[in-house]
Amino acid sequence: MLTTESLKRIDREIAKYPADQKQSAVMAALAIAQEEQGWLTTEAIEFVANYLGMAPMAAYEVASFYNMYDLKPVGKYKLTVCTNLPCMLSGGVDAGEYLKQKLGVGFNETTADGKITLKEGECMGACGDAPVMLVNNRRMCSCMLPEQIDKLLAELE
Amino acid sequence: MAILGAINPMLTVGLDGDNAWRLDDYVKRGGYAALKKILAEKMSPAQVIDEVKKSSLRGRGGAGFPTGLKWSFMPKDFKDGKYVVCNTDEGEPGTFKDRDILRYNPHSVIEGMTIAAYAVGAARGYNYIHGEIWDIYQRFEAALDEACAAGLLGKNILGSGFDFELFAHHGYGAYICGEESALLESIEGKKGQPRFKPPFPASYGLYGKPTTINNTETFSAVPFIFNLGAEAYLEAGKANNGGTKLFSVSGHVNKPGNFEVPLGTPFATLLEMAGGMRGGRKLKACIPGGSSAPVLPAGVIMDCTLDYDCISKAGSMLGSGAVIVMDETTCMVKALERLSFFYFEESCGQCTPCREGTSWMYKIVHRIENGQGRPEDLDLLGSVTTNIMGRTICALGDAASMPVQSFIKHFRDEFSYHIEYKKCLVPPEVQRAGSGFFKATV
Ligand SMILES: Cc1cc2nc3c(=O)[nH]c(=O)nc-3n(C[C@H](O)[C@H](O)[C@H](O)COP(=O)(O)O)c2cc1C
Ligand code: SF4
Ligand code: FES
């Protein structure tokens, strides 16, 4: 189900917790599975649960509780824009609108070519750098005025 | 670099260059001297806690609880494993200081946590890091590796016989996990739903064991108490408000960023350090302690000093030190609408008053903002807040209610105008200019 590379990363996470608390690694394991497969299928969640010796339902609860897990397919790139108040004051909402126009999609939608999914996010702890956005949960982009957004979109192939 | 200025800094002193985060640089700045001193002098845990008490260090995560007192609640005779946990789940809108602490000075947090572990008798710890800051999580892990390799973490630290193992746990997007008991549930691999309190973490914490949990900045300040001495640390701030604090300034200022200043510094000084108001416009309002703190109008905040006591006297909270600045281009109804949406989205849903109440508050503010408000809506909002506050498991219910109450209290006319005229008091093109996004049209 997952590559040996991913399993190795999961094992490293398991080792951080007491031997009888493997379940503590579930957040990391789900994130690793999502990183490898693009989104979390029911099979992937069950696999992670079995790997950690926990009930599949418990792993599913975790996957559906935290915002950064995707339980449905997303584009090759997921762009999450923070529109919370501190960012809004410095263009977070405008950046969202600008992206909607450029990509021709609304929030929680994917471009027709399957390349980009646009999402609205909550505070990322980076409000001083507003507008901020996150690419595929991992890469944070700061101070995203129109010119910078154009550059980012050109870069995402 | 996002630490843009300071007055008599401690936490951020000498942080220049890309290698500031590395162990060598930290040691050159005097790092790990406090831990070495405590271990070499064989200070007793009680002495360590006493020093922290004397320093008047108060928790930097939001509630401002005295840190030494919190540590003293840990049971001394418990032998079956205790924990120290650091809260870097920084998600309170407006707050971005912990990210910079871990980015530029991660070893100060490691050293602070190790001293805490020594003081409370913990052998294991975790730092819970906000999901959206992956690069910071990686950096913290790299710093942990450095500390372990240098014998500053792990078994038999510096030959003293004291063991402390520390790991990083990465969150994945849930504001509520900043609440300490939700955070512990989350480390246990569950949904992040707050626990009933009591029991408090000091008696029933991670995996049911006694646990001390503090904010990143709180731990980061600990080494300085021992390097300077508790009295000098206290004097660097103001009575009952020891030390310096990082303030994250966001919104309508010319230079948003982090600033480290002594507690008790006038708000006006901080505003000036942040480059003053963007475009020279007029200050309208300020939320001084993160989105959950009550908003204060310009006239009130301009007379405040930045410390727990003064801000609370003015009717708000110093909270996490997130100073959200709003100028005259801000529509207060729209601002509140966005905050209410946030709390509605992030309520964990366990308590009926919070789950239903946050949904109601958002719906009502949303309809006012969109020209469908009713004359009775302001009173309705007031009654929803009083039905939430004090009736929920965790403080998110209160956190969601306080903005609603304070926005309406101080800007009632603007809400009434919306209801009566079905539009914003601040014209849309003025609002649009405020953000500075479409520079060409300003
Ligand atoms: C909804 C909610 C969100 C919170 N978010 C954070 C947070 O992001 N970071 C933090 O340190 N404390 C947060 N807290 C406060 C913690 O529960 C806890 O009081 C704090 O981590 C204690 O550390 P301190 O004493 O060093 O401040 C939050 C509390 C609530 C109710
Ligand atoms: S107050 Fe809200 S967030 Fe807190 S436990 Fe209750 S429902 Fe969850
Ligand atoms: S509000 Fe957008 S990062 Fe904090």
Side-chain angles (χ1 to χ4, degrees), chain B residues 313-391:
Chain B
K313 252 216 268 130
S316 187
M317 296 175 342
L318 191 74
S320 55
V323 176
I324 307 170
V325 177
M326 292 174 268
D327 70 19
E328 57 203 342
T329 69
T330 315
C331 167
M332 298 312 275
V333 183
K334 193 182 214 103
L336 180 63
E337 181 200 23
R338 187 59 186 85
L339 288 182
S340 299
F341 177 74
F342 168 69
Y343 291 106
F344 158 61
E345 269 287 302
E346 299 294 329
S347 163
C348 85
Q350 270 191 109
C351 329
T352 312
C354 172
R355 183 185 62 240
E356 302 302 322
T358 51
S359 155
W360 271 94
M361 291 193 293
Y362 170 61
K363 273 190 206 144
I364 300 170
V365 181
H366 179 73
R367 80 179 175 219
I368 299 176
E369 168 64 15
N370 287 284
Q372 279 140 15
R374 304 165 195 168
E376 64 276 15
D377 275 353
L378 297 185
D379 291 339
L380 182 57
L381 278 172
S383 101
V384 176
T385 60
T386 45
N387 278 303
I388 299 176
M389 291 182 83
R391 298 175 193 216

Side-chain angles (χ1 to χ4, degrees), chain A residues 9 12-13 15-28 30-32 34-35 54 58-59 61-62 64-70 78 80-99 101 120-132 134 136-140 142 144-147 149, chain B residues 2 83 90-97 99 103 124 126 128 130-135 137 141 145 167-177 182 185-193 206-207 249-253 256-257 278 287 291 324-326 330-331 334-336 338-339 341-342 345-346 348 407 431-432 434-439:
Chain A
R9 285 176 65 195
R12 183 179 166 276
E13 294 297 325
K16 292 179 179 176
Y17 306 96
D20 57 347
Q21 301 290 350
K22 268 173 128 176
Q23 178 170 342
S24 284
V26 67
M27 290 180 68
L30 289 171
I32 291 165
Q34 175 164 306
E35 203 178 337
M54 63 193 280
E61 274 186 2
V62 170
S64 57
F65 186 83
Y66 298 89
N67 299 332
M68 288 163 67
Y69 297 114
D70 294 306
K78 180 174 79 165
T80 314
V81 190
C82 175
T83 59
N84 205 313
L85 177 63
C87 277
M88 178 171 110
L89 299 171
S90 294
V93 171
D94 300 327
E97 293 304 315
Y98 185 77
L99 276 164
Q101 263 182 18
E120 183 172 31
E122 293 300 345
C123 182
M124 300 172 181
C127 339
D129 299 340
V132 291
L134 204 58
N136 288 348
N137 292 342
R138 297 292 200 222
R139 174 177 160 207
M140 172 126 22
S142 308
M144 299 300 283
L145 294 172
E147 196 185 321
I149 293 179
Chain B
Y83 290 94
E90 187 170 57
E92 172 80 6
T95 320
F96 47 94
K97 64 190 175 67
R99 180 176 75 139
R103 183 191 317 198
R124 231 174 212 273
Y126 294 95
Y128 190 104
H130 196 215
E132 282 84 349
I133 50 174
W134 171 249
D135 53 330
Y137 167 78
E141 290 219 310
D145 288 344
F167 304 93
H169 183 103
H170 190 213
Y172 231 57
Y175 166 64
I176 192 57
C177 289
E185 288 282 300
S186 184
I187 298 182
E188 292 180 4
K190 303 176 196 154
K191 290 189 284 188
Q193 290 191 320
L206 184 59
Y207 308 124
V249 185
S250 64
H252 292 143
V253 292
R278 192 186 295 150
I287 305 179
S291 69
I324 307 170
V325 177
M326 292 174 268
T330 315
C331 167
K334 193 182 214 103
L336 180 63
R338 187 59 186 85
L339 288 182
F341 177 74
F342 168 69
E345 269 287 302
E346 299 294 329
C348 85
F407 270 70
Q431 289 182 42
R432 199 171 130 104
S435 82
F437 184 77
F438 296 104
K439 280 216 165 64

Side-chain angles (χ1 to χ4, degrees), chain B residues 23 32-42 110-119 122-125 144 146-166:
Chain B
L23 178 61
Y32 289 106
L35 177 66
K36 283 178 189 156
K37 181 173 135 194
I38 289 167
L39 294 179
E41 291 177 5
K42 299 194 164 49
I110 297 174
E111 186 181 5
M113 288 187 75
T114 310
I115 293 171
Y118 179 82
R124 231 174 212 273
L144 286 177
E146 284 186 328
C148 286
L152 295 160
L153 265 184
K155 294 256 175 281
N156 191 20
I157 292 173
L158 299 168
S160 65
F162 164 59
D163 304 334
F164 180 57
E165 287 188 286
L166 180 55

Side-chain angles (χ1 to χ4, degrees), chain B residues 58-65 67 70 87-92 98 175-176 178-181 197 213-216 218 394-396 399:
Chain B
R58 295 171 63 170
R60 306 298 196 222
F65 193 82
T67 304
K70 184 185 272 190
N87 187 343
T88 313
D89 193 38
E90 187 170 57
E92 172 80 6
D98 297 338
Y175 166 64
I176 192 57
E179 195 282 337
E180 56 190 22
S181 63
K197 285 186 266 186
I213 174 162
N214 279 115
N215 171 256
T216 319
T218 312
C394 89
L396 186 137

Side-chain angles (χ1 to χ4, degrees), chain B residues 18-32:
Chain B
D18 294 340
N19 288 324
W21 69 275
R22 304 211 68 133
L23 178 61
D24 287 352
D25 267 47
Y26 182 61
V27 169
K28 270 189 223 138
R29 295 195 298 273
Y32 289 106

Side-chain angles (χ1 to χ4, degrees), chain B residues 221-235:
Chain B
V222 167
F224 298 93
I225 295 171
F226 294 89
N227 290 337
L228 297 168
E231 282 84 15
Y233 182 85
L234 169 57
E235 277 162 26

